[in-house]
Amino acid sequence: MVGYACYTERFSPDGTLAGIAGRLDHLRELGVTYLHLMPLLMPREGDNDGGYAVADYRAVRPDLGTVDDLRDLATTLRGEGISLVVDLVLNHVAREHAWAAAARSGDAAYRGYFHVFADRDLPDRYEETLPEVFPDFAPGSFTHEPELDAWVWTTFNEWQWDLDWANPAVLAEFAQIVVDLANLGVEVLRLDAIAFLWKRMGTACQNQPEVHAITQALRAVARMAAPATLFKAEAIVGPRELVPYLGVGAHTARVSDLAYHNSLMVQVWSMLATGDTRLAKQALGALPTTPPDGTWITYLRCHDDIGWAIDDGDAAAVGVTGPGHRHFLADWYAGDFTGSWAEGLVFQHNPATGDRRISGTAASLAGLGPERRDPDGAFARLFVAHAVVAGWGGVPVIWSGDELGLLNDPAWADEPGHADDNRWAHRPRVTDADVLRRQVPDSDQARVFAGLAHLMKVRAGLPQLHASGPVSVLPDSDDGVLAVVRRHPSGPFVGLYNVTGESRPFPIGRLHDLGLDRPHEAIGDHVLTAGPDGQLWLPPYAAWWVVGGR
């Protein structure tokens, strides 16, 4: 499968669900078989965290259409072989949701849907170990609610009330919502903010064991009522905490089918900034294998900012410090480091911790922006980065606009409610003009689109990239080369990626040792032959997918 993710109103020609059909040719040329439409269920009015403050799970945003339009689109997409993906926000609801309104009106049953505290005693004790998600504009994790004369748990924003998943009634409500969405034709549910569901004093209140038990219960309902429905865990957590969301131990094959490979995204950008693969080999090589019926969503960019999730232990293993490297990456991608080609924006700088996240489209972060410090290098960096993502296995997902090399939107702050959130810079609208420009020879849009469409076409013909194949990282390749090995009954696959602007070697004998006696490079469709020194030399920013010769 190949995925595409977008906001309906920013991708559809007329901004509606019905209008998505007008862009099916565009998706078809990319080989898309999985379409994630960003939050489209009814949010609160005004600021709503990009749609993640849901006021009604059984209604669609009026500007996008109706529930019938959603059902019709799902039917159309299925006819094209495309699975529809929709967000299911689990951790919280909007303050305006009927459950929260009933709680404020004095209904004790609905008050029990939320974490409500009469005073600051328990909230203050929880706060001692809780990280702040949005320290700039939503500090703290609790909000005083005048109508309740009490404190409500609000991890993300004061108008997003955290649900108390210790209450069985909450589980029952969401079991019904899962079935209702499946009945509309939604094939994949993105379980938003799933890591935050369970609260435990003295912890960060993330990744608690009960999260996986809750997911297993919801998954059991889906398997009985709508067994083709897939669950995707939106768990942007540390590398060691990722795999449990795909199921380990008692939860194996019983929780989510898909999970975001956040670590891969971070390591790709890290390799490009440093021209060095040692940290990536350490971090990616140390990840546990995925269970046989679960796999990764791989991606280069998404709708969100990039948080530099570098494990301190991984960093120390290769001779750098975690805080130091995170600081470097933030400087580099903000364009503040000498020699940087990136044009990103700092998001949510936390002076207390020094943490800075980064916003920006893939093209802007790779250096294709207005300053054009290294344009040819920018195209090459985009290609090798997408090749790493597409060649890892799992389901690669392209963020809307990245297939056209779109840059940061200079007018991102002009729309109501966007001025305080620069993530809107990397959520540009895809216009008809953008789509048409990909047909103009040598335009940025044409170069990026052609490269990405070619990658996905080649990928579709390689059984070695099926998600079931195990993946490993070769630890002993040149420091500028990431070498990834996949095993499959049809034969081995070796992905070779040069993340530097210089030619780098890889010994052909290593390919022979891996079972590739007649190595063939699939992306460029050519046979690989070594020089007199026995080395293959990868050109700057080269991406090679090596399989057995025909």
Side-chain angles (χ1 to χ4, degrees):
M1 298 188 81
V2 173
Y4 189 87
C6 62
Y7 286 95
T8 300
E9 69 274 21
R10 290 175 173 263
F11 179 68
S12 169
D14 66 0
T16 69
L17 288 166
I20 291 288
R23 286 277 162 83
L24 289 182
D25 287 347
H26 182 77
L27 298 177
R28 196 181 296 114
E29 287 186 44
L30 275 176
V32 170
T33 56
Y34 162 116
L35 178 62
H36 175 196
L37 298 180
M38 298 298 288
L40 50 78
L41 301 180
M42 179 74 78
R44 72 189 297 268
E45 293 185 6
D47 196 359
N48 54 46
D49 191 22
Y52 288 103
V54 178
D56 188 346
Y57 288 94
R58 292 178 173 85
V60 170
R61 280 172 42 190
D63 60 312
L64 301 182
T66 66
V67 169
D68 286 339
D69 291 331
L70 180 62
R71 181 186 291 108
D72 291 344
L73 175 60
T75 302
T76 298
L77 291 173
R78 182 176 287 118
E80 294 286 336
I82 299 174
S83 295
L84 176 61
V85 188
V86 167
D87 290 87
L88 178 59
V89 183
L90 295 177
N91 179 68
H92 47 263
V93 297
R95 182 183 180 275
E96 291 74 13
H97 192 284
W99 302 340
R104 290 196 304 278
S105 71
D107 189 315
Y110 283 106
R111 181 177 176 131
Y113 279 34
F114 304 97
H115 299 273
V116 181
F117 304 90
D119 56 41
R120 283 290 311 193
D121 179 48
L122 286 175
D124 285 343
R125 289 167 58 191
Y126 276 112
E127 290 274 28
E128 292 176 5
T129 55
L130 288 177
E132 292 181 311
V133 177
F134 298 131
D136 280 1
F137 52 74
S141 297
F142 299 87
T143 299
H144 186 262
E145 174 52 57
E147 293 183 50
L148 289 172
D149 190 23
W151 292 85
V152 178
W153 200 312
T154 54
T155 295
F156 291 87
N157 288 284
E158 63 181 16
W159 28 261
Q160 288 169 298
W161 287 21
D162 285 35
L163 292 158
D164 185 355
W165 279 87
N167 183 343
V170 172
L171 178 66
E173 294 274 14
F174 276 91
Q176 186 63 56
I177 291 168
V178 165
V179 173
D180 290 345
L181 290 171
N183 280 340
L184 292 177
V186 176
E187 294 188 10
V188 184
L189 292 171
R190 176 187 179 274
L191 307 181
D192 180 69
I194 190 172
F196 295 84
L197 297 191
W198 198 266
K199 320 301 187 186
R200 176 168 282 115
M201 184 72 74
T203 73
C205 294
Q206 297 182 41
N207 310 309
Q208 298 301 300
E210 290 83 355
V211 168
H212 307 301
I214 290 167
T215 310
Q216 181 172 332
L218 290 174
R219 189 73 181 91
V221 171
R223 284 183 170 180
M224 287 184 281
T229 306
L230 300 182
F231 279 11
K232 176 172 64 170
E234 190 262 340
I236 308 305
V237 297
R240 305 297 188 275
E241 298 163 325
L242 274 172
V243 174
Y245 287 88
L246 291 173
V248 296
H251 301 301
T252 298
R254 296 177 179 177
V255 285
S256 293
D257 308 274
L258 302 162
Y260 285 94
H261 202 333
N262 179 62
S263 185
L264 180 65
M265 177 198 65
V266 169
Q267 292 300 333
V268 169
W269 291 112
S270 175
M271 287 189 291
L272 292 176
T274 61
D276 194 300
T277 64
R278 287 174 294 175
L279 179 59
K281 292 171 189 172
Q282 167 66 30
L284 299 174
L287 284 176
T289 57
T290 56
D293 52 358
T295 193
W296 297 118
I297 292 291
T298 59
Y299 59 110
L300 183 60
R301 286 297 294 114
C302 70
H303 75 287
D304 223 339
D305 56 279
I306 301 178
W308 301 112
I310 303 294
D311 182 83
D312 289 349
D314 289 334
V318 298
V320 298
T321 68
H325 193 60
R326 290 189 288 270
H327 185 89
F328 161 74
L329 291 173
D331 280 348
W332 184 273
Y333 284 105
D336 294 336
F337 197 92
T338 302
S340 170
W341 23 253
E343 297 182 32
L345 304 171
V346 172
F347 179 72
Q348 293 294 311
H349 179 208
N350 187 336
T353 64
D355 178 51
R356 287 170 296 156
R357 287 127 69 182
I358 292 291
S359 298
T361 67
S364 289
L365 295 182
L368 203 57
E371 297 187 18
R372 296 275 174 154
R373 300 168 187 171
D374 179 18
D376 288 337
F379 286 111
R381 282 187 288 272
L382 282 173
F383 188 81
V384 71
H386 281 298
V388 174
V389 168
W392 188 265
V395 181
V397 175
I398 302 160
W399 174 244
S400 183
D402 281 352
E403 81 281 11
L404 296 168
L406 297 191
L407 302 175
N408 292 340
D409 180 0
W412 64 267
D414 294 348
E415 294 188 41
H418 292 185
D420 293 329
D421 187 349
N422 66 25
R423 291 175 298 178
W424 288 103
H426 58 249
R427 302 165 181 172
R429 296 181 186 276
V430 177
T431 67
D432 287 340
D434 293 324
V435 173
L436 288 173
R437 271 195 291 271
R438 68 177 170 80
Q439 301 173 13
V440 178
D442 297 324
S443 68
D444 289 357
Q445 287 82 357
R447 290 182 68 178
V448 176
F449 188 89
L452 196 46
H454 177 68
L455 270 179
M456 298 310 172
K457 183 177 181 180
V458 173
R459 183 181 183 277
L462 294 175
Q464 296 93 333
L465 289 176
H466 189 280
S468 62
V471 60
S472 60
V473 176
L474 294 184
D476 55 354
S477 63
D478 179 89
D479 287 347
V481 175
L482 179 70
V484 176
V485 181
R486 296 184 59 81
R487 302 286 186 179
H488 190 269
S490 64
F493 166 102
V494 179
L496 297 177
Y497 309 102
N498 180 359
V499 299
T500 78
E502 303 171 349
S503 294
R504 291 287 183 156
F506 189 85
I508 196 168
R510 197 75 175 89
L511 296 179
H512 297 162
D513 294 342
L514 293 166
L516 294 169
D517 294 328
R518 298 169 54 212
H520 181 86
E521 201 286 295
I523 297 174
D525 193 20
H526 64 277
V527 176
L528 296 178
T529 56
D533 58 358
Q535 300 280 4
L536 297 166
W537 286 88
L538 284 82
Y541 297 117
W544 288 356
W545 288 351
V546 187
V547 295
R550 299 179 178 85

